[in-house]
Amino acid sequence: MLLAVDHGNYAVKTPFFSFVSGLSEHTVRPPLSDELLEYDGRFWTLSGKRISYMRDKTQDDRFFILTLFAIAKELVRTGSASPLAQVDLAVGLPPEHYGVLKDRFAEYFHRKGPIRFAYCDHPYMIALNRVMVFPQAYAAIVPNSDLVVKTKRMFIVDIGGYTTDVLLLRYGKPDQQFCRSLENGIITMNNEIVRKVNSLHDLLIDDEHISSVLNGEETILKSEVQKTITSATHLHANSILNQLRELQIDLRSNPCVFIGGGSLLLRPYIENSPLVSKAQFIDSTAANALGYQVLANIALSKGQ
């Protein structure tokens, strides 16, 4: 069974599920929990409070536990009843971190013997056979290769939770000499918005308030607070585009494809910016996970 998981700093995604990259650990079984995972004598629940940014996600077990949640959700979805599920895992890393962290990230998921855990009171046992690691951004464009294969030069811009990953493609192939990961994703923006709203309006808000405003959802926030949020978002979108220009990436003279949940959140500001001439957007927030799945299937078919 092949499972693809995108370990975002803001959210964990599979081709079918997305949930905040947040966990609560419990030494005893917590009451009133409808989605509980038990592993190695400890209890875990998902949380709306995301884990603080970690460049190297192998520092502790939290992203491993989040992966177990993702695997469990997929096992439930497929109705797997095997006493020992054989799992091949496809994951990814930002392009600039890929070479340094690839082997460490793959090794992080391997545990001695079968992995036993319980999810929603149902016992599971899995064997993680292969762990395949692919570069983010490039993976996301693979299922949509028709957008780039005939283009001499195109930038892929992946605005994620903490990083904005930029990759140059030439006729659909990554240029290994040009990839950047900038620490100016949506988490950075949200932290600044929370600070501004608190300073200007003496009001405490969180990520959910911000996303509700930017997605046009119903909110009780006053209009002046909403204006502060949208104005700060506009500034952040322009900041990303200006930082790209500092890296000699001029999106007025180069076509680009924007991917990632952050890109979709900032889409109205990017599309209306004079700093961008021709931009396309991949609508799925699971684009990287879908790409890992495609690349893993190719690798498995070649016996790699």
Side-chain angles (χ1 to χ4, degrees), residues 260-283:
S263 293
L264 296 178
L265 201 62
L266 301 181
R267 182 171 183 170
Y269 305 93
I270 294 170
E271 288 183 324
N272 292 318
S273 172
L275 299 176
V276 180
S277 291
K278 183 180 179 182
Q280 300 179 74
F281 290 79
I282 294 179
D283 290 334

CSV table of all heavy atoms in Angstrom, one decimal, residues 260-283:
chain,number,residue,atom,x,y,z
A,260,GLY,N,0.4,25.5,-3.4
A,260,GLY,CA,0.4,25.5,-2.0
A,260,GLY,C,-0.8,26.2,-1.4
A,260,GLY,O,-1.3,27.2,-2.1
A,261,GLY,N,-1.2,25.9,-0.2
A,261,GLY,CA,-2.3,26.6,0.4
A,261,GLY,C,-2.1,28.0,0.6
A,261,GLY,O,-3.0,28.8,0.5
A,262,GLY,N,-0.8,28.4,0.9
A,262,GLY,CA,-0.5,29.9,1.0
A,262,GLY,C,-0.8,30.6,-0.2
A,262,GLY,O,-1.3,31.8,-0.2
A,263,SER,N,-0.4,30.0,-1.4
A,263,SER,CA,-0.6,30.7,-2.6
A,263,SER,C,-2.1,30.9,-2.9
A,263,SER,O,-2.5,32.0,-3.4
A,263,SER,CB,0.0,29.8,-3.8
A,263,SER,OG,1.4,29.8,-3.7
A,264,LEU,N,-2.9,29.9,-2.5
A,264,LEU,CA,-4.4,30.1,-2.7
A,264,LEU,C,-4.9,31.2,-1.8
A,264,LEU,O,-5.8,31.9,-2.2
A,264,LEU,CB,-5.1,28.7,-2.5
A,264,LEU,CG,-4.7,27.6,-3.5
A,264,LEU,CD1,-5.4,26.3,-3.1
A,264,LEU,CD2,-5.0,28.0,-4.9
A,265,LEU,N,-4.4,31.3,-0.6
A,265,LEU,CA,-4.9,32.3,0.3
A,265,LEU,C,-4.5,33.7,-0.2
A,265,LEU,O,-5.3,34.6,0.0
A,265,LEU,CB,-4.2,32.0,1.7
A,265,LEU,CG,-4.9,32.7,2.9
A,265,LEU,CD1,-6.3,32.1,3.1
A,265,LEU,CD2,-4.1,32.4,4.2
A,266,LEU,N,-3.3,33.8,-0.8
A,266,LEU,CA,-2.8,35.1,-1.3
A,266,LEU,C,-3.2,35.4,-2.7
A,266,LEU,O,-2.8,36.4,-3.3
A,266,LEU,CB,-1.3,35.2,-1.1
A,266,LEU,CG,-0.8,35.0,0.3
A,266,LEU,CD1,0.7,35.2,0.3
A,266,LEU,CD2,-1.4,36.1,1.3
A,267,ARG,N,-3.9,34.5,-3.4
A,267,ARG,CA,-4.1,34.6,-4.8
A,267,ARG,C,-4.7,35.9,-5.3
A,267,ARG,O,-4.2,36.5,-6.2
A,267,ARG,CB,-5.1,33.4,-5.2
A,267,ARG,CG,-5.3,33.4,-6.8
A,267,ARG,CD,-6.1,32.2,-7.2
A,267,ARG,NE,-6.3,32.1,-8.6
A,267,ARG,CZ,-6.7,31.1,-9.3
A,267,ARG,NH1,-7.0,30.0,-8.6
A,267,ARG,NH2,-6.9,31.1,-10.6
A,268,PRO,N,-5.7,36.5,-4.6
A,268,PRO,CA,-6.3,37.7,-5.1
A,268,PRO,C,-5.2,38.9,-5.1
A,268,PRO,O,-5.2,39.7,-5.9
A,268,PRO,CB,-7.4,38.1,-4.1
A,268,PRO,CG,-7.8,36.7,-3.5
A,268,PRO,CD,-6.5,36.0,-3.4
A,269,TYR,N,-4.3,38.8,-4.1
A,269,TYR,CA,-3.3,39.9,-4.0
A,269,TYR,C,-2.2,39.7,-5.0
A,269,TYR,O,-1.7,40.6,-5.6
A,269,TYR,CB,-2.7,39.9,-2.6
A,269,TYR,CG,-3.7,40.0,-1.5
A,269,TYR,CD1,-4.3,38.9,-0.9
A,269,TYR,CD2,-4.2,41.2,-1.1
A,269,TYR,CE1,-5.3,39.0,0.1
A,269,TYR,CE2,-5.2,41.4,-0.1
A,269,TYR,CZ,-5.7,40.2,0.4
A,269,TYR,OH,-6.7,40.3,1.4
A,270,ILE,N,-1.9,38.4,-5.3
A,270,ILE,CA,-0.8,38.1,-6.3
A,270,ILE,C,-1.3,38.4,-7.7
A,270,ILE,O,-0.6,39.0,-8.5
A,270,ILE,CB,-0.4,36.6,-6.2
A,270,ILE,CG1,0.3,36.3,-4.9
A,270,ILE,CG2,0.5,36.2,-7.4
A,270,ILE,CD1,0.5,34.9,-4.6
A,271,GLU,N,-2.6,38.0,-8.0
A,271,GLU,CA,-3.1,38.2,-9.4
A,271,GLU,C,-3.3,39.7,-9.7
A,271,GLU,O,-3.2,40.1,-10.8
A,271,GLU,CB,-4.5,37.5,-9.5
A,271,GLU,CG,-4.4,36.0,-9.6
A,271,GLU,CD,-5.7,35.4,-9.8
A,271,GLU,OE1,-6.7,35.8,-9.2
A,271,GLU,OE2,-5.8,34.3,-10.5
A,272,ASN,N,-3.5,40.5,-8.7
A,272,ASN,CA,-3.7,42.0,-8.9
A,272,ASN,C,-2.4,42.8,-8.7
A,272,ASN,O,-2.4,44.0,-8.8
A,272,ASN,CB,-4.7,42.5,-8.0
A,272,ASN,CG,-6.1,42.0,-8.3
A,272,ASN,OD1,-6.5,41.9,-9.4
A,272,ASN,ND2,-6.9,41.6,-7.2
A,273,SER,N,-1.3,42.1,-8.5
A,273,SER,CA,0.0,42.8,-8.3
A,273,SER,C,0.6,43.2,-9.6
A,273,SER,O,0.7,42.4,-10.6
A,273,SER,CB,1.0,41.9,-7.5
A,273,SER,OG,2.2,42.5,-7.5
A,274,PRO,N,1.1,44.4,-9.7
A,274,PRO,CA,1.9,44.8,-11.0
A,274,PRO,C,3.2,44.1,-11.1
A,274,PRO,O,3.9,44.2,-12.1
A,274,PRO,CB,2.1,46.3,-10.8
A,274,PRO,CG,2.0,46.5,-9.3
A,274,PRO,CD,1.1,45.5,-8.8
A,275,LEU,N,3.6,43.4,-10.0
A,275,LEU,CA,4.9,42.6,-10.1
A,275,LEU,C,4.8,41.3,-10.7
A,275,LEU,O,5.8,40.6,-10.8
A,275,LEU,CB,5.4,42.5,-8.7
A,275,LEU,CG,5.7,43.8,-7.9
A,275,LEU,CD1,6.2,43.5,-6.5
A,275,LEU,CD2,6.8,44.6,-8.6
A,276,VAL,N,3.6,40.9,-11.1
A,276,VAL,CA,3.4,39.6,-11.7
A,276,VAL,C,2.6,39.8,-13.1
A,276,VAL,O,1.6,40.4,-13.1
A,276,VAL,CB,2.5,38.7,-10.8
A,276,VAL,CG1,2.3,37.3,-11.5
A,276,VAL,CG2,3.2,38.5,-9.5
A,277,SER,N,3.2,39.2,-14.1
A,277,SER,CA,2.6,39.3,-15.5
A,277,SER,C,1.7,38.1,-15.8
A,277,SER,O,0.6,38.3,-16.3
A,277,SER,CB,3.6,39.6,-16.5
A,277,SER,OG,4.2,40.8,-16.4
A,278,LYS,N,2.3,36.9,-15.6
A,278,LYS,CA,1.6,35.7,-16.0
A,278,LYS,C,1.7,34.7,-15.0
A,278,LYS,O,2.8,34.1,-14.8
A,278,LYS,CB,2.1,35.2,-17.4
A,278,LYS,CG,1.3,34.0,-17.9
A,278,LYS,CD,1.9,33.5,-19.2
A,278,LYS,CE,1.1,32.3,-19.7
A,278,LYS,NZ,1.7,31.7,-21.0
A,279,ALA,N,0.7,34.4,-14.2
A,279,ALA,CA,0.7,33.4,-13.1
A,279,ALA,C,-0.4,32.4,-13.3
A,279,ALA,O,-1.5,32.8,-13.6
A,279,ALA,CB,0.7,34.1,-11.8
A,280,GLN,N,-0.1,31.2,-13.1
A,280,GLN,CA,-1.1,30.1,-13.0
A,280,GLN,C,-1.1,29.6,-11.6
A,280,GLN,O,-0.1,29.6,-10.9
A,280,GLN,CB,-0.8,29.0,-14.0
A,280,GLN,CG,-0.8,29.5,-15.5
A,280,GLN,CD,-0.5,28.4,-16.4
A,280,GLN,OE1,-1.3,27.5,-16.7
A,280,GLN,NE2,0.7,28.4,-17.0
A,281,PHE,N,-2.2,29.0,-11.2
A,281,PHE,CA,-2.4,28.5,-9.8
A,281,PHE,C,-2.9,27.1,-9.9
A,281,PHE,O,-3.8,26.8,-10.7
A,281,PHE,CB,-3.4,29.3,-9.0
A,281,PHE,CG,-2.9,30.7,-8.6
A,281,PHE,CD1,-2.9,31.7,-9.6
A,281,PHE,CD2,-2.4,31.0,-7.4
A,281,PHE,CE1,-2.4,33.0,-9.2
A,281,PHE,CE2,-1.9,32.2,-7.0
A,281,PHE,CZ,-1.9,33.3,-8.0
A,282,ILE,N,-2.3,26.2,-9.1
A,282,ILE,CA,-2.8,24.8,-8.9
A,282,ILE,C,-3.7,24.9,-7.7
A,282,ILE,O,-3.3,25.2,-6.6
A,282,ILE,CB,-1.6,23.8,-8.7
A,282,ILE,CG1,-0.8,23.8,-10.0
A,282,ILE,CG2,-2.2,22.5,-8.4
A,282,ILE,CD1,0.3,22.8,-10.0
A,283,ASP,N,-5.0,24.5,-7.9
A,283,ASP,CA,-6.0,24.8,-6.9
A,283,ASP,C,-5.9,23.8,-5.7
A,283,ASP,O,-6.4,24.1,-4.6
A,283,ASP,CB,-7.4,24.7,-7.5
A,283,ASP,CG,-7.7,25.9,-8.4
A,283,ASP,OD1,-7.1,26.9,-8.2
A,283,ASP,OD2,-8.5,25.7,-9.4
